[in-house]
Amino acid sequence: MTVPWGGGGLPPAAAERMAEVSRSGTWTSALSTGEFASVKAVGFEPVGQVMGSAVFQVARSGRYWGYHDCLYTGAGYGFSYGNRGDAPVALSGQGAPSRQLVGVFDQARRTALGRMRAECSALGGDGVVAAQLTMQPFPSAPTCLEFKVIGTAVRAQGPVRPKHPFTCHLDGQGFAKLISAGWVPSELLVGMSIGVRHDDYRTRSQQYSWQNTEMTGWSRLIHDIRADAREQLRRQAGQRGGDGVVLASGDLRVWEESCIRAANTNNSEQRDHVAEATMVGTSIARFRTREQPPRTLSVMPLGNRGDRLRKRLEAVASSPYGDPNEYRRLATELRDLGDQG
């Protein structure tokens, strides 16, 4: 039977599924045998597979919503009169119109992650490992996108419980190595940036040159957008108390569009290049503050072992404080060597 739902908390179907898992006592996971053993080895156990999803209406057209405005004052001028300086890179992280579009993506991802975290809490879990975040078009609705994240909820076997469930992309082995090294995952993060740059006079001159030359404007676009996405990821980690970020993946898309500003001056032939960079990672925090004692370096001496035992045996025999038990132990060890000593 359909139950009304206003979007808050868990969807009714998810809440019913969590209740059934809790009643049955049987959990499911996407962990391999090796991952399961690794998680158990560091004091955690799986409690169930969890997920979160959200479908968002996203008006992605830069032309009609102004998201992909290049902000270049020289746009619209003819090729021969367009040498009005280098075009800037309009970055979402620096307040460009595309910032609103990045905000929609961020809200959609946080909604899906929040629902997955709620499922983890419903099962009594302390966090989620091997979380995979995806985005795909919603069937029959080209302006809608489905954001989904799925992973395995785990619970610590000891008495210490985190205040909020953690989320991370690390698989079972990676999670175990992180815990063993004195670090704990905090949150799965996504740093995203959208940059727009007008194909200005210099760029068009380089593009139609007969010589091998760097497209400096496009190089700057790619560099700036990657740096901005990395900065967004670092800033999110700092706001949530992380000491660092372990990167999971990075994606870059570049495409060409008609310049919005040029079209407003009836010069629709001028073009812009749009780049979209996405970086996914997990913020981590150090929980072991005491410095670990240095590991003992094993030293294997070279040379004849029998000669060394004889010298030690002579030293014990000649000393007035020699230990008879030590003498007998060395003598037995030397005798056991036989021909090898």
Side-chain angles (χ1 to χ4, degrees):
M1 183 173 63
T2 302
V3 179
W5 179 57
L10 283 177
E16 184 178 350
R17 179 167 57 88
M18 295 298 100
E20 177 61 28
V21 172
S22 299
R23 286 193 301 267
S24 67
T26 303
W27 50 266
T28 60
S29 81
L31 300 177
S32 65
T33 303
E35 289 178 296
F36 171 73
S38 298
V39 169
K40 291 281 291 184
V42 293
F44 286 79
E45 58 183 3
V47 294
Q49 197 168 21
V50 291
M51 66 167 290
S53 63
V55 179
F56 266 63
Q57 157 78 11
V58 181
R60 301 189 65 188
S61 174
R63 175 166 302 282
Y64 298 107
W65 291 89
Y67 293 142
H68 298 153
D69 189 347
C70 65
L71 301 181
Y72 180 46
T73 58
Y77 290 86
F79 183 82
S80 59
Y81 300 99
N83 190 9
R84 301 172 62 88
D86 291 340
V89 178
L91 287 174
S92 57
Q94 296 180 0
S98 56
R99 181 178 183 177
Q100 298 180 18
L101 182 58
V102 172
V104 174
F105 285 122
D106 185 54
Q107 181 184 359
R109 293 189 183 98
R110 284 189 285 107
T111 300
L113 283 167
R115 289 171 182 165
M116 183 184 71
R117 193 181 293 110
E119 287 195 2
C120 176
S121 297
L123 293 178
D126 295 320
V128 181
V129 301
Q132 297 182 356
L133 183 64
T134 59
M135 178 183 73
Q136 60 186 9
F138 191 74
S140 73
T143 60
C144 291
L145 293 173
E146 179 192 10
F147 297 80
K148 181 179 68 176
V149 58
I150 185 170
T152 299
V154 296
R155 178 171 54 211
Q157 297 174 345
V160 180
R161 309 245 86 82
K163 294 181 180 179
H164 307 286
F166 62 82
T167 55
C168 71
H169 73 275
L170 300 168
D171 61 11
Q173 285 95 339
F175 172 75
K177 290 179 181 178
L178 189 71
I179 297 295
S180 299
W183 295 76
V184 63
S186 176
E187 187 172 357
L188 183 66
L189 304 175
V190 179
M192 184 178 183
S193 176
I194 295 178
V196 186
R197 188 183 185 279
H198 185 75
D199 289 350
D200 56 17
Y201 180 84
R202 184 191 301 273
T203 301
R204 286 177 284 175
S205 298
Q206 293 170 342
Q207 185 177 9
Y208 295 115
S209 173
W210 289 94
Q211 298 178 349
N212 296 328
T213 184
E214 180 186 6
M215 302 293 298
T216 53
W218 294 349
S219 295
R220 180 186 171 190
L221 171 64
I222 298 304
H223 175 273
D224 288 358
I225 191 178
R226 282 178 170 150
D228 187 38
R230 190 179 298 110
E231 173 60 20
Q232 301 308 316
L233 198 65
R234 185 202 63 78
R235 187 176 302 173
Q236 291 178 42
Q239 292 172 349
R240 291 160 174 79
D243 296 316
V245 177
V246 179
L247 192 64
S249 62
D251 182 57
L252 176 68
R253 295 197 311 124
V254 181
W255 68 94
E256 186 183 55
E257 288 195 1
S258 298
C259 178
I260 298 175
R261 292 192 168 227
N264 292 335
T265 61
N266 296 323
N267 191 342
S268 59
E269 295 182 357
Q270 293 189 11
R271 313 291 288 178
D272 291 339
H273 272 78
V274 184
E276 180 183 282
T278 305
M279 292 186 178
V280 181
T282 297
S283 61
I284 61 175
R286 185 184 292 106
F287 71 85
R288 182 181 295 160
T289 57
R290 186 176 61 183
E291 185 176 353
Q292 294 299 301
R295 297 178 59 186
T296 303
L297 179 63
S298 301
V299 178
M300 300 184 67
L302 302 176
N304 189 286
R305 185 181 176 190
D307 292 341
R308 293 195 303 272
L309 289 174
R310 292 187 187 94
K311 290 180 180 180
R312 292 172 59 188
L313 193 63
E314 291 173 1
V316 172
S318 60
S319 173
Y321 306 101
D323 185 358
N325 292 329
E326 176 69 5
Y327 183 89
R328 285 193 292 271
R329 187 188 68 78
L330 292 172
T332 300
E333 188 173 353
L334 182 62
R335 183 174 62 252
D336 292 343
L337 283 177
D339 296 337
Q340 299 179 2

